[in-house]
């Protein structure tokens, strides 16, 4: 039988889950560009948080901690996907084919443009301009300095302006989040992983 403390921790985690799951899924979507695995990354992040919930609940900003976990999982996912694509390319393309300067003038979709950014720039832009986090909270989520957040965000925004051909990048990034939210609503809400209880830690 669980103790009162265990029950309180379980209830607290469930409340955190309900409040942040959709946001973490959208963050994973924008960081990876893969809507099909965004739910899984959010669920994996929350499972990891549950296993260390005592530490998370004592943190000054538990939500920032959660975003950092999602960012790390997204980075790992991207690296794995890149390695897989390279293996496939080597298998199917025995002759060397160079594409050092890909054609980008046709890039008009903000999600596609975000995928072209190096991960740290993408994460800074998404957290600052899609989720409206402060520079301090973005730094906390990504485990980097505020100065690095400023630099990477500025460089990322400049690159997005070039790719999208517009200076209205913050508006376009916000629109990407709004579109993801509408997609969730149209789908009847993103599926949520079952069994998120405090029975096993």
């Amino acid at each position: 039988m669980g103790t009162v403390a265990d029950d309180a921790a379980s209830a607290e985690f469930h409340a955190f889950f309900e409040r942040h799951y959709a946001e973490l899924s959208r963050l994973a979507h924008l960081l990876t560009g893969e809507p099909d695995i965004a739910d899984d990354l959010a669920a994996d992040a929350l499972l990891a948080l549950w296993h260390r919930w005592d530490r998370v609940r004592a943190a000054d900003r538990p939500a920032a901690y959660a975003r950092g976990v999602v960012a790390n999982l997204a980075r790992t996912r991207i690296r794995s996907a890149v390695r897989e694509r390279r293996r496939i390319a080597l298998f199917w393309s025995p002759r060397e084919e160079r594409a050092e300067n890909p054609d980008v003038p046709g890039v008009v979709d903000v999600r596609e443009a975000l995928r072209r950014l190096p991960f740290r720039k993408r994460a800074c832009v998404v957290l600052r301009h899609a989720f409206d986090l402060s520079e301090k909270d973005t730094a906390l989520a990504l485990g980097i300095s505020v100065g690095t957040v400023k630099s990477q965000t500025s460089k990322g925004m400049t690159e997005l302006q070039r790719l999208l051909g517009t200076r209205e990048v913050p508006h376009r990034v916000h629109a990407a989040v709004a579109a993801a939210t509408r997609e969730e609503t149209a789908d009847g809400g993103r599926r949520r992983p079952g069994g998120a209880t405090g029975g096993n830690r």
Side-chain angles (χ1 to χ4, degrees), residues 55-201:
R55 187 192 315 169
V56 176
R57 70 196 299 206
D60 290 336
R61 296 181 178 87
Y65 191 100
R67 295 181 192 110
V69 173
V70 170
N72 286 331
L73 290 174
R75 183 184 295 111
T76 299
R77 166 72 185 184
I78 291 168
R79 287 174 177 170
S80 176
V82 168
R83 286 195 296 269
E84 183 64 22
R85 284 196 293 270
R86 285 174 178 168
R87 284 195 291 268
I88 293 172
L90 287 172
F91 181 81
W92 289 107
S93 303
R95 295 187 302 276
E96 182 177 3
E97 297 178 3
R98 297 187 178 182
E100 297 177 356
N101 297 303
D103 181 26
V104 295
V107 177
V108 295
D109 180 77
V110 68
R111 292 176 187 169
E112 176 63 25
L114 282 169
R115 281 197 292 269
R116 291 177 179 266
L117 296 183
F119 182 82
R120 183 172 287 185
K121 290 179 184 176
R122 184 192 320 163
C124 287
V125 168
V126 166
L127 289 173
R128 289 284 290 121
H129 293 286
F131 289 86
D132 295 320
L133 295 193
S134 67
E135 291 171 342
K136 183 177 180 181
D137 283 345
T138 299
L140 181 63
L142 298 177
I144 58 180
S145 70
V146 170
T148 299
V149 170
K150 291 179 179 179
S151 172
Q152 293 294 293
T153 302
S154 176
K155 291 176 180 177
M157 293 296 282
T158 298
E159 185 68 8
L160 284 177
Q161 287 175 3
R162 183 180 71 83
L163 290 170
L164 295 169
T166 177
R167 292 186 177 277
E168 297 182 357
V169 172
H171 172 74
R172 296 288 297 276
V173 174
H174 267 291
V177 175
T181 304
R182 287 195 298 271
E183 289 166 7
E184 292 172 10
T185 303
D187 291 339
R190 286 198 182 274
R191 64 186 184 281
R192 294 186 177 185
T197 66
N200 295 299
R201 266 206 291 175

Side-chain angles (χ1 to χ4, degrees), residues 5-17 42-57 65-66 69 195-201:
D6 288 338
D7 290 343
S10 178
E12 197 173 52
F13 175 76
H14 272 282
F16 185 89
F17 181 101
D44 288 346
L46 285 161
L47 179 61
L49 293 178
W50 171 244
H51 286 308
R52 63 189 79 160
W53 185 241
D54 288 342
R55 187 192 315 169
V56 176
R57 70 196 299 206
Y65 191 100
V69 173
T197 66
N200 295 299
R201 266 206 291 175

